[in-house]
Amino acid sequence: MTDWRDFSDDGLTDTLRAARGLFARNGYHATSIRAVADAAGLSVPGLYHHHRSKQAILGALVEATMDRMLAHTRAADADSDGSATGRFDNVLECLLRFHMLRRDDAFVASTEMRSMDDAVLRRHVAQRDEQQRMIADIIAQGVADGTFRCRHVGDAARAAASLCVAVAGWYDPAGALSADEVVARQLEIARRIAGLPPPS
């Protein structure tokens, strides 16, 4: 990965890309296997050659989305100066940009938790929890070195992550604020959640 801010490559196959668009527009339950196959330019038997069921498609799509998000946030963390403040700013900026630029991916991963079978849901929750632990570990580092004032690290990590997820529901690329302005405003709010002064 050359730039953790670059989300132009979604890393998906044509089938998963087609399913993402249909699930985001119509919902998982309202989308048929035939609709996914048609959108991907495949026959139904051809689609089943790659994915054994619609549930398997949802699982593969959500796992790919979370894998990409985790890879980018790890890269953002590694690109920081190692301080709690630097790590927090990079990781939260990365999460904000992901949810702004990969809105359909984020929307499906969030709203279709209700449609996941037990195995898919467990994997998804494990990946989501891994992301929140990264944020919690950063906040705990800041509390330990005195740069963060936060009494409830786990709650703050969940709230900061939720703030980033929510951006996918309202961000408009054609809106009054540029992407950088949205990131700056939301990062300031996230910093306050974690007990860190706003950036100067």
Side-chain angles (χ1 to χ4, degrees):
M1 187 181 301
T2 57
D3 183 359
W4 52 264
R5 294 180 176 90
D6 181 8
F7 291 98
S8 57
D9 178 11
D10 60 16
L12 299 178
T13 64
D14 289 343
T15 300
L16 295 182
R17 197 172 290 121
R20 176 187 62 193
L22 291 167
F23 293 165
R25 286 194 303 274
N26 305 323
Y28 173 82
H29 289 295
T31 300
S32 67
I33 280 286
R34 181 169 295 280
V36 176
D38 288 347
L42 296 170
S43 65
V44 171
L47 185 149
Y48 279 129
H49 177 73
H50 299 286
H51 300 281
R52 68 183 182 277
S53 66
K54 188 169 71 166
Q55 185 65 207
I57 293 172
L58 177 62
L61 173 60
V62 171
E63 183 167 353
T65 295
M66 297 299 290
D67 282 346
R68 186 152 294 258
M69 184 179 74
L70 285 164
H72 276 258
T73 51
R74 290 186 194 111
D77 191 5
D79 191 45
S80 74
D81 61 9
S83 69
T85 302
R87 295 178 68 203
F88 186 87
D89 286 352
N90 274 22
V91 169
L92 269 292
E93 177 185 344
C94 183
L95 283 173
L96 286 164
R97 292 190 185 278
F98 173 83
H99 286 90
M100 291 162 61
L101 300 173
R102 301 250 60 93
R103 285 176 297 162
D104 281 356
D105 308 64
F107 180 77
V108 171
S110 176
T111 62
E112 294 302 345
M113 287 180 69
R114 62 196 173 189
S115 305
M116 297 175 189
D117 67 19
D118 288 345
V120 172
L121 182 59
R122 282 195 301 271
R123 172 64 176 157
H124 176 59
V125 170
Q127 289 180 300
R128 184 193 64 186
D129 289 351
E130 180 179 348
Q131 185 68 81
Q132 288 187 0
R133 280 195 301 274
M134 181 188 297
I135 300 171
D137 288 347
I138 294 169
I139 297 174
Q141 176 187 342
V143 171
D145 67 23
T147 56
F148 287 64
R149 296 179 63 85
C150 180
R151 293 177 57 193
H152 307 290
V153 170
D155 291 344
R158 281 188 292 274
S162 296
L163 178 147
C164 297
V165 172
V167 169
W170 59 259
Y171 170 67
D172 181 1
L177 297 178
S178 70
D180 288 345
E181 288 172 324
V182 171
V183 167
R185 288 191 183 188
Q186 297 303 305
L187 183 56
E188 180 176 346
I189 295 169
R191 277 173 157 248
R192 291 184 183 278
I193 289 171
L196 184 66
S200 56

